Amino acid sequence: MIVKVCVGSSCHLKGSYAVIENFKKLIEKYNVSDKVELQASFCLGRCSTGVTVLADDRFIDGVNENNTEEIFVKEIMSSLK
Ligand code: FES
């Protein structure tokens, strides 16, 4: 799965750097580095609900520093084969 975290200006201001750092740690913690590829992305066009994450072709809105793990488990781990 390719997980793109928006680093456009709006999402950047809402903490996308911290979200990326959290995702990196979670990928290690859950030992899924062979299944999840983390990328940064330019604006994904959903600035008002950012930080925006795109997991393959599925948008996940409202990610922040504090809910990253919850979202990772619910939206990403559950979709991995
Ligand atoms: S800046 Fe992230 S969706 Fe626009």
Side-chain angles (χ1 to χ4, degrees):
M1 174 185 282
I2 295 182
V3 175
K4 294 183 180 176
V5 179
C6 178
V7 293
S9 21
S10 172
C11 289
H12 175 73
L13 289 174
K14 290 179 184 169
S16 48
Y17 181 76
V19 169
I20 288 174
E21 288 302 305
N22 284 350
F23 273 144
K24 279 188 198 162
K25 289 180 197 146
L26 291 164
I27 287 167
E28 290 287 312
K29 177 176 170 183
Y30 289 91
N31 203 19
V32 288
S33 58
D34 55 337
K35 294 190 176 132
V36 179
E37 185 182 335
L38 192 60
Q39 297 180 356
S41 167
F42 292 116
C43 178
L44 292 165
R46 297 160 80 95
C47 312
S48 61
T49 51
V51 174
T52 308
V53 171
L54 186 60
D56 283 339
D57 53 3
R58 193 163 42 94
F59 282 107
I60 306 166
D61 296 317
V63 186
N64 63 49
E65 189 176 359
N66 301 317
N67 69 8
T68 323
E69 182 156 14
E70 184 191 332
I71 286 187
F72 187 82
V73 170
K74 204 166 100 191
E75 305 283 350
I76 294 172
M77 289 302 292
S78 65
S79 305
L80 296 176
K81 315 266 162 356

